[in-house]
Amino acid sequence: LLAPTWALAQAPAATAPQPLAPLAHWVGGEWVGQFEVPGGRKLTLIRSYQWSFDQRLLVGRSFGEIDGRRRQSRETHYFWNPATKRIEFHDFLDQGGGYGDGVIELRDGAIQMNAKIVGNPGHPDWRARITESGDDQIIEVEALKDGQWGPFGKYAYKRQR
């Protein structure tokens, strides 16, 4: 009885739930970015997305891979909030714990994300602009430090199916 239910939750939806339609194309394959960290080591970041059973929640999981070891770094739940009439998310972090609450907006042909971090004073609040073209994605992140927004990083990802 549980196996068919699990299988349904893993498959991409034939049609996306209407309120989350702007994010539906994230489902399928893995979004992979490769970066160099201090010391010349290579870091691979991998993001994947799947629908919850009732397709009212999009679950994103992020992993970091360095020196051949893969570890989950965050899990993000995206949902439609009928009270605010917005796509919102909860972002659970492993970098010192804590979580972020955020909002997604579509603006100027890009996805805008804003997150307020709770429970981890060492992790900054952040906002990001995501631009996409097919299976390519650029994420430009700013972080809040000392009351000012400043550049945090620019990350290129490519979907691997």
Side-chain angles (χ1 to χ4, degrees):
L1 178 63
L2 292 178
T5 302
W6 179 84
L8 285 174
Q10 304 306 309
T15 58
Q18 193 60 31
L20 296 176
L23 308 180
H25 64 282
W26 290 355
V27 175
E30 294 181 326
W31 295 86
V32 178
Q34 300 203 333
F35 312 95
E36 189 170 311
V37 296
R41 295 165 63 200
K42 302 293 182 193
L43 169 67
T44 301
L45 296 179
I46 302 116
R47 297 180 359 263
S48 63
Y49 300 88
Q50 68 185 47
W51 294 112
S52 65
F53 176 69
D54 65 2
Q55 297 183 351
R56 289 198 254 167
L57 184 72
L58 181 61
V59 179
R61 291 184 177 88
S62 298
F63 299 85
E65 188 173 292
I66 194 163
D67 299 331
R69 296 179 65 190
R70 184 184 280 202
R71 294 213 168 132
Q72 186 169 355
S73 59
R74 68 186 340 125
E75 182 164 310
T76 309
H77 299 172
Y78 302 89
F79 58 94
W80 177 256
N81 183 334
T84 63
K85 298 190 179 342
R86 311 185 292 199
I87 298 173
E88 297 183 8
F89 61 92
H90 297 305
D91 194 16
F92 301 94
L93 311 170
D94 81 341
Q95 301 117 347
Y99 67 94
D101 283 331
V103 175
I104 291 181
E105 299 174 355
L106 302 177
R107 195 170 46 221
D108 302 325
I111 297 170
Q112 307 284 333
M113 301 177 78
N114 295 288
K116 171 83 175 139
I117 304 299
V118 178
N120 183 345
H123 196 291
D125 293 348
W126 58 269
R127 63 186 182 193
R129 176 179 168 82
I130 302 172
T131 53
E132 301 171 315
S133 178
D135 285 341
D136 294 313
Q137 190 179 71
I138 303 290
I139 303 176
E140 297 175 82
V141 181
E142 292 183 315
L144 186 63
K145 184 176 180 180
D146 300 326
Q148 299 290 319
W149 288 102
F152 186 80
K154 185 174 182 178
Y155 308 97
Y157 289 87
K158 184 158 195 69
R159 185 194 328 240
Q160 297 179 356
R161 297 180 189 258

